[in-house]
């Protein structure tokens, strides 16, 4: 016979992972913005002036009493600028031809013509430039969450085994 006396079994904890969750969260914010900018430039000319066009004759479109002898193209320009009905001129072989159009413009190596802005006439030039820009702004936030659930089981007992007899019987065979 064997006797087991004053044996103690202490508290034991068993831990078990019962649930695991992985969550991905993505937040995307996209903004599209169109911007249009228009720049306008205006130039106004009111000063009488002539722009020479050498090597050309403006045939036809003569102004009455506008065909006269002149010693130079500069004198011809002064005559045109002195009249409100003169917008063009041709100077060929010492003659000044005052005109109201350049519709008959043709090459002539002996000719010097000009476009003129007579007094009292205002020429306005308008130039517009438009710029369009598209801006795309994208913000992305990604978050990963790991959730682990743990279940704990605790055996919270202290068991004392005292005065227990274990019997062992041995038989011998003959």
């Amino acid at each position: 016979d064997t006797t087991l006396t004053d044996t103690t079994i202490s508290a034991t904890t068993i831990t078990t992972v019962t649930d695991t969750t992985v969550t991905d969260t993505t937040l995307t914010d996209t903004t599209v913005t169109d911007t249009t900018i228009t720049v306008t430039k205006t130039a106004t000319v009111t000063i009488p002036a002539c722009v020479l066009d050498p090597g050309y004759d403006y045939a036809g479109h003569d102004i009455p009493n506008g065909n006269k002898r002149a010693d130079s193209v500069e004198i011809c320009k002064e005559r045109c600028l002195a009249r409100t009905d003169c917008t063009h001129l041709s100077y060929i072989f010492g003659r000044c031809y005052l005109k109201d159009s350049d519709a008959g413009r043709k090459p002539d190596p002996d000719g010097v013509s000009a476009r003129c802005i007579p007094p009292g006439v205002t020429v306005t030039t308008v130039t517009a430039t438009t710029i369009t820009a598209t801006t795309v702004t994208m913000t992305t936030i990604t978050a990963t969450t790991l959730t682990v659930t743990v279940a704990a089981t605790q055996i919270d007992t202290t068991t004392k085994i005292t005065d227990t007899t274990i019997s062992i019987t041995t038989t011998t065979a003959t």
Side-chain angles (χ1 to χ4, degrees):
D1 288 341
T2 302
T3 301
L4 186 60
T5 306
D6 293 332
T7 301
T8 303
I9 298 174
S10 299
T12 303
T13 303
I14 301 169
T15 303
T16 307
V17 176
T18 58
D19 189 20
T20 303
T21 305
V22 178
T23 305
D24 286 332
T25 304
T26 302
L27 172 64
T28 302
D29 184 19
T30 304
T31 304
V32 178
T33 306
D34 286 334
T35 304
T36 301
I37 300 170
T38 302
V39 177
T40 304
K41 296 177 184 177
T42 304
T44 303
V45 178
T46 55
I47 301 170
C50 291
V51 177
L52 293 180
D53 190 9
Y56 285 92
D57 176 25
Y58 300 158
H61 302 281
D62 293 340
I63 295 174
N65 299 319
N67 178 352
K68 296 187 179 177
R69 176 117 180 88
D71 290 333
S72 69
V73 73
E74 293 302 318
I75 293 172
C76 191
K77 284 174 24 180
E78 289 174 13
R79 287 181 185 165
C80 184
L81 292 174
R83 297 180 59 154
T84 58
D85 59 347
C86 182
T87 58
H88 298 81
L89 65 89
S90 289
Y91 180 76
I92 299 175
F93 304 118
R95 299 233 22 117
C96 178
Y97 300 91
L98 303 183
K99 304 188 174 279
D100 61 10
S101 175
D102 66 351
R105 185 176 186 260
K106 64 178 183 172
D108 186 336
D110 297 318
V112 176
S113 293
R115 293 177 183 93
C116 298
I117 300 171
V121 175
T122 300
V123 176
T124 302
T125 303
V126 178
T127 303
T129 303
T130 301
I131 301 168
T132 302
T134 301
T135 304
V136 178
T137 305
M138 181 181 283
T139 305
T140 303
I141 300 170
T142 303
T144 301
T145 304
L146 174 62
T147 305
V148 179
T149 304
V150 177
T153 305
Q154 185 173 10
I155 301 171
D156 191 14
T157 55
T158 302
T159 305
K160 191 172 188 178
I161 301 173
T162 55
D163 300 328
T164 300
T165 303
I166 299 172
S167 296
I168 300 173
T169 306
T170 306
T171 307
T172 305
T174 48

